[in-house]
Amino acid sequence: MQITAKTEQFALKVPFTISRGTKVAADVVTVEIREGGAIGRGECVPYARYGESLASVMDQINGLPEKVNRADLLRLLPSGAARNAVDCALWDLEAKQRSERVWALASLPQPGPEICAYTLSLGEPDEMELAARENAHRPLLKIKLGTPEDMPRLEAVRRGAPRSRLIVDANEGWSAEIYSELAPYLLRLDVGLVEQPVPADQDESLIGLIKPVPICADESCHDRESLKHLKGKYDVINIKLDKTGGLTEALALKRAAQEEGYGIMVGCMVGTSLGMAPAVLVAQGVGFTDLDGPLLLGEDRMPPLAYDGRGVHPSQAALWG
């Protein structure tokens, strides 16, 4: 077995802004695992919010033993981007070696397309209204907020896309009090979900809060260990493979969260179709799918994931799995 990793950069179509800053490119780590003539691939996006960088993730991957399996990996690396890329590459490798699809190896039903959110970058209200108008044909839009001037932005988006379902992502930019103040307006504008309204280290403030619009844990939920800290705070969890540390833990987290009564959202960092492909399997049948990373890119992997009116489709075997 030979494990190799490299960094790659994929330019975005336009700069993408959230409350924490602006991106102009997706910086990813790509892993290839070769064994017996087969090659498995995986991708991750290191995230500074979680103390990760391209260099730190490369160091973690390069520090692995010469031969690993998915069970070993759960012990060798913590939840996070590095483990994600290697775990997904191991799944892809096994699929290639056995000439089967990953969904079959994982005893999952054959996947189909899932309606996918399209994310609107944070901007001035007129800019966001124009972006909403250009994407008003999409059934689900996600709006990046988390500033003191959020309501004019949200009103503008609703004017631009009067029929789309809306998700609001505050990226830890609100407080429990701000959520409560905005909740009647969110209801009036038919917002279906609010992602991580408060900082993860302040989510105790959500206990006992009346939540007329469901609240989703993103930064507060990484893996199954996170679930014990979410009771009474959140209604939904956002599963991202770069947080769980791969498909293996993501599937386990989905099962555990559903058993505890949480709704499920499957999200992503801004990455390529290679990074989204494993998450499409996790997204089957969930309440919200947000795997639009490739739609934000000016360039993508080949063959890319297909997106159409039915949503994001499962990957071709030539891409992953």
Side-chain angles (χ1 to χ4, degrees):
M1 178 178 285
Q2 181 183 21
I3 303 172
T4 60
K6 63 180 178 180
T7 62
E8 295 185 272
Q9 187 174 83
F10 294 82
L12 304 187
K13 290 178 182 175
V14 296
F16 183 77
T17 301
I18 66 172
S19 59
R20 293 194 191 99
T22 299
K23 292 173 66 79
V24 297
D27 292 300
V28 310
V29 174
T30 305
V31 168
E32 286 191 355
I33 304 180
R34 298 170 181 263
E35 185 179 57
I39 301 174
R41 297 193 304 158
E43 175 188 295
C44 69
V45 181
Y47 198 41
R49 168 66 179 79
Y50 305 135
E52 297 173 335
S53 66
L54 291 170
S56 72
V57 166
M58 289 289 289
D59 285 346
Q60 284 181 292
I61 296 168
N62 290 331
L64 288 170
E66 291 184 4
K67 186 174 178 65
V68 295
N69 58 41
R70 293 192 299 273
D72 292 336
L73 202 57
L74 293 173
R75 294 183 294 100
L76 292 169
L77 290 178
S79 300
R83 195 174 80 189
N84 176 33
V86 179
D87 180 76
C88 291
L90 286 168
W91 277 106
D92 189 40
L93 177 68
E94 184 177 349
K96 300 296 192 293
Q97 290 173 329
R98 297 193 180 198
S99 298
E100 291 189 55
R101 299 307 305 271
V102 165
W103 60 265
L105 295 176
S107 301
L108 300 172
Q110 184 169 353
E114 290 287 334
I115 292 296
C116 182
Y118 182 80
T119 305
L120 301 183
S121 177
L122 182 66
E124 294 303 314
D126 57 342
E127 297 171 334
M128 296 185 74
E129 181 174 352
L130 177 60
R133 200 172 302 282
E134 292 172 346
N135 291 281
H137 62 285
R138 301 184 188 274
L140 181 61
L141 294 177
K142 175 171 164 176
I143 302 97
K144 290 290 189 179
L145 297 177
T147 76
E149 296 83 31
D150 278 342
M151 285 315 301
R153 292 183 168 93
L154 185 55
E155 296 270 10
V157 168
R158 181 47 87 196
R159 286 194 302 272
R163 289 180 294 277
S164 302
R165 294 175 70 201
L166 298 182
I167 300 170
V168 163
D169 186 359
N171 279 121
E172 303 181 278
W174 293 354
S175 65
E177 292 74 19
I178 291 174
Y179 166 85
S180 295
E181 291 170 5
L182 296 182
Y185 303 97
L186 300 175
L187 283 172
R188 176 173 60 82
L189 295 170
D190 198 24
V191 172
L193 189 71
V194 175
E195 267 190 86
Q196 198 70 44
V198 305
D201 61 1
Q202 297 176 24
D203 61 8
E204 294 289 327
S205 63
L206 299 176
I207 296 176
L209 191 71
I210 297 173
K211 306 180 185 74
V213 179
I215 295 179
C216 176
D218 184 0
E219 285 83 354
S220 290
C221 183
H222 292 249
D223 52 20
R224 282 173 290 175
E225 181 67 18
S226 302
L227 291 178
K228 65 186 180 184
H229 303 293
L230 305 182
K231 286 293 184 185
K233 303 174 186 178
Y234 297 96
D235 311 292
V236 179
I237 67 162
N238 188 344
I239 300 175
K240 293 178 180 174
L241 272 65
D242 276 316
K243 294 188 302 177
T244 65
L247 177 63
T248 303
E249 177 64 18
L251 291 172
L253 173 59
K254 179 183 178 181
R255 290 191 295 269
Q258 288 175 324
E259 289 172 0
E260 294 192 22
Y262 291 101
I264 305 294
M265 177 180 187
V266 174
C268 65
M269 308 303 184
V270 181
T272 77
S273 286
L274 178 60
M276 304 303 117
V280 174
L281 301 186
V282 187
Q284 297 298 299
V286 305
F288 297 92
T289 297
D290 177 26
L291 298 176
D292 63 343
L295 298 178
L296 307 177
L297 300 179
E299 53 182 331
D300 194 8
R301 311 275 188 181
M302 298 300 292
L305 289 179
Y307 293 81
D308 59 23
R310 293 189 295 158
V312 55
H313 290 251
S315 64
Q316 300 177 46
L319 173 69
W320 181 87

